[in-house]
Amino acid sequence: MSGTIVGRVLGLCILVLILIGAAALVLYGTLPDASGVVIDAADMQMIGVWAVVLVVALAVQSSAKTLAGQIVAGLFIALVVFAGAMILAGRVIPPGQPFHLDFERIEAAVFWVSAAVLALAAIAGLAALGGLLWGARIGWTGYLVVAILLLVAVAVPVLNLWTAPTHPLHVPNYAVSLFGKYLTYALLALSVGLIWGYCGILSLGHGAFFALGGYAIGMYLMRQIGARGVYANPDLPDFMVFLNWRELPFFWHFFDGFPYATLMVMAVPGVLAFVFGWFAFRSRVTGVYLSIITQALTYALLLAFFRNDFGFGGNNGLTDFKDILGFNIQAPTTRATLFAASAIALAIGYLMCRAMVSSKFGKVLVALRDAESRTRFLGYRVERYKLAVFVISAAMAGVAGALYVPQVGIINPGEFAPENSIEAVIWVAVGGRGTLVGPIIGATIVNYAKTVFTTGALAPYWPFVLGGLFVVVTLFLPKGIVGTVQMIWNRMRERRAAAPPREERNADGHGTAVPPQANPQLAE
Amino acid sequence: MRFVLSAFVALLVSALTGIAPAAAQTDLRALINALGAGGFPEIEAGLRAITQAGDSAAVPAVTALGEGDLYVRTSDSQVVIAIERARGQFALTDAVTGESLGEAAEAEIERIRLNNRVRRAIRDTLGALTLMSDNPATRLAAAQAVLRTGDSEQIPLLDTAIAQETDARVLAVMNAARAVAIVRSDRPDEEKIEAINLIAERGGRDAVSILGPIANIEGPVGDAASAALAGIENTQRLWAAGQNVWYGLSLGSVLLLAAIGLAITFGVMGVINMAHGEMVMIGAYTTFVVQEIIRTQAPWLFDWSLAIAIPLAFLVAGTIGVAIERGIIRFLYGRPLETLLATWGLSLILQQAVRTYFGPTNKQVGNPSWMSGSFELGGLTIAYGRMWIIVFALAVFAGLMILMRATSFGLRMRAVTQNRKMASAMGIRTPWIDAMTFGLGSGIAGMAGVALSQIDNVSPNLGQSYIIDSFMVVVFGGVGNLWGTLVGAFTLGIANKFLEPYAGAVLGKILVLVLIILFIQRRPRGLFALKGRAVEA
C-alpha cells in the first residue's frame, strides 16, 4: 500500500530530524542559525510531542482500510501538519522574519481550527450515528433508556429552577450536582461496559482516561480564572505563580479556547488509548495481563500527576474554578445546564454504543470476546477491532471526566488512583455485564449507596459494603442486576411458551470467561 | 556538667597514669606552673613545651585550662584546678596528681585567662597529648583529631607516637595524619608526594577535601595531588555504583519477598490474588501484636520477637489464605477476571477490618538489636536490617525451591498445576492441594510482612503499595517460574536504584513501569516464559 510506504518514509525522516535536533541540543545547548533561528529545550519538547502525534496520525492513516477511515486519517494528518506549521511560524521563525506569526494570531488560528474540527466531527458523528441507527435495531429498551434520559435532562433542571423550594417536586441544588455526578459516572461505566461486556477487555485503568478528560477541561477552567486568582496573575494559574514559574508551559497553550479544550478532552485520552492499545493488542497482551498493565498505566500517571514539576498543579490538582463559557460555574442555572448536558451526553453515548454493538462491528466484538483465536482464524484483524473500540471507549471516558469536573469543581491526581478504575468496573459488574443499561443502572445504584453510606455514621462500613459487593456480585450475580432480571424474564417467557429449556454453555472456555447471553436475540 | 566531665577526665587520666615516675612528675609540675607565669604568648609557649614533653599526665590540667578551671594560687604561684563549690568558695585539686588541696576563697586564687589563640593551642596540645595515651580508643580519637586539623607542627610528636604505636588501626590513622601534616608543611616535595600517595591510598571523602586545594598548586606536588584526586574519584564512583547495586539488591529482596507468594498463587496456580498485599499487611500486624505482647509480658524476649513472629505470621496469613480459597476462589477457577474482582473486594474488606480494629495510624514496630546499626565494607555502608532481609528473602526462596522440588507436597502441587485431571486420576486430592498451595502463597506473603514491618510503616495500606510492584515482578520474570521471579525482582530493584539518581525517585519508578509495559509488549510471557502447549491453555 502506497499510504503505508509514504507514512513509513515520512516517519523515518522525521525521526532522523528529531534525533539530529536532539543531538545538537545536547551538544550546543541551542540550535543557532545564520537566520537567527533558535530552538531551545521548550521547543524541542513541543516538537517531540508533535512528532509523537504525527507518528500516531501516520499509523492511523496506514492502517485505515475504508474510505471513511482514510478521510478521517487524512484530516488527522492535516491537523498535525497545521500544528507543525504553527510551531514553525510561532516558535522557530524569529519575529520580524517572513512567515512569523505572533502568539495571538496562532491562538486565534488554533481556536477557529479546533472549532471547525469540532463542528465537522459533530456533523460527521451525527451522520454516522444516524446511518448506523438507521439500520440498527435499537429495541424498545433502547428507546426507553434514551427517552428516560432525555426526560431527566429536561425535568430535573425545570424542577430545580422553576419550582419553589417548598414545592413537593422541587429538586434542591445539591441534588442536581449529585445526580449530575452520577450521570458522568454512568457514562464512565458505559465506556467500561462497552469494552468489558462486549469485547472482553477488562481495563483497570479507565479512570485514567476519565481523569485526563477532566484535566483537559480543568485546564480550560483554570485559564478562565484569569487575574481573579489568589495571586491575581493574568498570565499564569495560581499554582504556577506559587512554584515560581515564569511562563506558561507549552502544553497549557490554547486552553483558553473552549473548542480546543473540548477537542483535547477527547483527543488526549483517545491518543493515549491508541498508543497504549496499539502496543498492547498488537503483541496480543490479553486477559489478566492487560488488566494489570492498564492498572500500571494509571498508577504511573498517578505518580506523574502528583509531581509539581509535571505542570498540572501537583498534589492539589486544579480547582477554584470561576466561569465556564462566561457563566458562573456556581450558579444554579449553570449547574442545571451541566446536568442536562451530562444526561444528553449519556443518551448520545448510549445510542452510539447501542448502534455499535448491534452493527456487524459489534457482532465481531462479541465474537472476539468469546473466541478470540477463532475470530482471528476467520480472517478478522482482531487487534484493529479491539483498538477501535478501546479508543472510542477512552474518548467516552474522557467526555465523562470533562462533564464531571465542572460539577464537582476540582480535579486532582487522586482520580488516577487504581481504586477508582476498579470501582468503575464494579459498577458495570453490579449493573450487568454484556448489557448497556446495566452499567448505567449499576453506576447509579452503587454511587447512591456510596453517598448514603459515606455521609452518615456508617462511613467506616462503606469499604465493607463495597468489598462485599465485589465478592457477592462475582460469586452470586455474575450477570449483574440487568442480566439476572433478563434471565428470570426469559425463563418465565420460555415456561409460558412451554419451550424446551436451553442449555447454557460457554461457547469456548477461552479465558475471557464472559457468560454468554442465554438468548442473544433478547440481549436487552 | 562541666565539672562532672572534667572530673571524669581527671579520674580517667589519673587512673591511667597513676604509676608515672616521680621525676617526670616534677618536670611536668614545672611546665604546668609555667602556664600561670605570664601573658598569652607565654601560655602558648608553655603549652608547646608540654606538647613536646608528651606526657599524658598533663591532660587534666590542660583540659581544665580549656574550660577555665585552671587557677594560680597567689600564695605560692602554684597552678591548681579550682571548681566553684559555693559562692566565692573554690575546691582546689592538684593539677598534676589530682589530689585534693582543700578549699580557697575567691581572693586567694587567680584565674588563668584565655584568648582564642590559646584555646586553639590547648586543643592541639590535647590532641597531641592523647596520642600517647595508653588507651587505644583515646589514641585513635586523638589521631583522628590531628588528621582533621593536619597541623604540621605535630609531625615530630606523631613521629614519636608512630614509633611506639602497636595497634595497627591506630597506626594507620596516625600515618594518615602524619601524611596530611606533611602535605601542609613546608617539607621537600619528594616527601610531600610520598605523603600524597599515602593519602590517596587511604581514599575516602576526607582525602578529597585534603587534596582538593593542593591539586591547584603548580609543580610536581600539585600534579601528584591531581593524579591522586582523579584516582580517588574513580574509586569513589566505583564504590557509589557498588552502593547503588547494594541498594538495588535490598529493594530487590523486598520485591522478591512481596512477589514470591504471588509467584505461587498467580504463577503456579494462575489465580489473581489482589488481596495478596493484604496478606503482607496481616503479617506485619502479626509482628506488631507479637511485639506488643512481648513488651508487656516478657521484655527480655524482644530480640527474639521476629523469630517468633515469622512462623506465627505464616500461620495466620496461611490460614486466612486457605479460608479465602475454600470460601471464594474455588468457585471462580477458570474465570481469572472474576477472581481478580472478588479478591480486590476482599482486600478492601481486610484493609477496613484492620483499620477498624487497629486504627488507621501507623503502628510502631521495633527493630531488635541485631537488626539495627550498620557496618562498613570497603566503601559500602551496609545496614544490618537490610542485609538480614536479603538473607531472609534468599532463604525463603531457597526453602520454597526445596519444598517444590524435593517434597511430596511439592510434587503433588506441580502435578496438579500441569495436569489437573491426570493428577486427580492418580489419587491426588486436587481441592486439598489447591487450598494448601494457596495457603502456602499467602503464608509466604505473611512472612514477607514480618520483614517489611522492619523497614516500612505498618499501616492498613502497607500491602497496597506492594501489590502493583509484585505483579510487575511476576509478570516481568515470567509467570509460573520461580527463578524468573528471583531474577525479575533483583533486576527491577537494581534498575530502579540506578534510574533514581538521574530521574528522581518518582520519575524513576514511572520509567520502570513504562519500561515494563514496553517489555511486556515484546515478551508477553515474561523473561523466562514457559514453553509448550500448556502456555496457551
Side-chain angles (χ1 to χ4, degrees), chain B residues 476-499:
Chain B
F476 178 67
V479 172
N481 189 326
L482 286 180
W483 287 109
T485 308
L486 182 78
V487 175
F490 284 115
T491 313
L492 289 188
I494 291 171
N496 224 329
K497 286 295 166 190
F498 268 91
L499 280 175

Side-chain angles (χ1 to χ4, degrees), chain A residues 301-444:
Chain A
L301 283 171
L302 169 80
L303 292 177
F305 273 79
F306 261 122
R307 289 170 62 86
N308 274 334
D309 50 6
F310 205 59
F312 297 98
N315 195 10
N316 297 325
L318 311 176
T319 185
D320 209 13
F321 307 135
K322 311 275 189 222
D323 290 345
I324 182 163
L325 287 171
F327 299 101
N328 180 3
I329 205 161
Q330 303 284 352
T333 43
T334 318
R335 302 237 145 179
T337 315
L338 282 169
F339 177 90
S342 308
I344 290 168
L346 182 57
I348 292 175
Y350 176 79
L351 272 180
M352 247 174 63
C353 294
R354 189 72 258 165
M356 252 189 293
V357 300
S358 54
S359 66
K360 187 192 158 205
F361 177 77
K363 300 295 175 212
V364 178
L365 289 187
V366 174
L368 72 89
R369 171 194 76 185
D370 290 339
E372 183 170 334
S373 310
R374 206 177 294 179
T375 316
R376 187 178 291 122
F377 299 151
L378 285 173
Y380 291 99
R381 298 291 292 267
V382 167
E383 61 280 355
R384 290 197 181 158
Y385 282 88
K386 281 184 165 182
L387 189 57
V389 77
F390 194 61
V391 170
I392 291 170
S393 163
M396 229 157 96
V399 172
L403 288 165
Y404 169 83
V405 168
Q407 300 193 61
V408 297
I410 184 169
I411 173 82
N412 63 26
E415 296 293 334
F416 284 104
E419 293 88 63
N420 285 19
S421 303
I422 295 190
E423 252 187 83
V425 169
I426 200 65
W427 303 335
V428 178
V430 168
R433 197 139 45 93
T435 69
L436 291 175
V437 207
I440 298 176
I441 293 176
T444 318

Side-chain angles (χ1 to χ4, degrees), chain A residues 196 202 279-280 283 288-289 292-293 295-296 299 303-304 419 422 425 433 460 463-464 466-468 470-471 474 478, chain B residues 272 274 328 335-338 340-342 344-345 348-349 352-353 464 468 471-472 479 506 509-510 513 520-521 524:
Chain A
W196 188 29
L202 176 55
F279 285 116
S283 35
V288 177
Y289 293 91
I292 290 171
I293 61 170
Q295 196 178 11
Y299 186 60
L303 292 177
E419 293 88 63
I422 295 190
V425 169
R433 197 139 45 93
F464 289 119
L466 186 65
F470 276 97
V471 177
T474 46
Chain B
I272 304 287
M274 295 301 265
I328 295 173
R335 290 157 64 189
L337 296 181
E338 267 94 340
L340 191 156
L341 291 180
W344 176 268
L348 285 183
I349 294 175
Q352 189 62 15
Q464 274 201 313
I468 291 182
F471 270 112
M472 287 299 137
V479 172
V506 177
K509 201 161 180 183
I510 296 171
L513 278 178
I520 292 178
Q521 315 295 336

Side-chain angles (χ1 to χ4, degrees), chain B residues 184 205-217 222 225-226 229 232-233:
Chain B
R184 294 201 178 151
R205 208 163 287 137
D206 292 345
V208 175
S209 61
I210 293 163
L211 296 177
I214 300 165
N216 297 329
I217 302 171
S226 352
L229 210 55
I232 293 171
E233 272 165 8

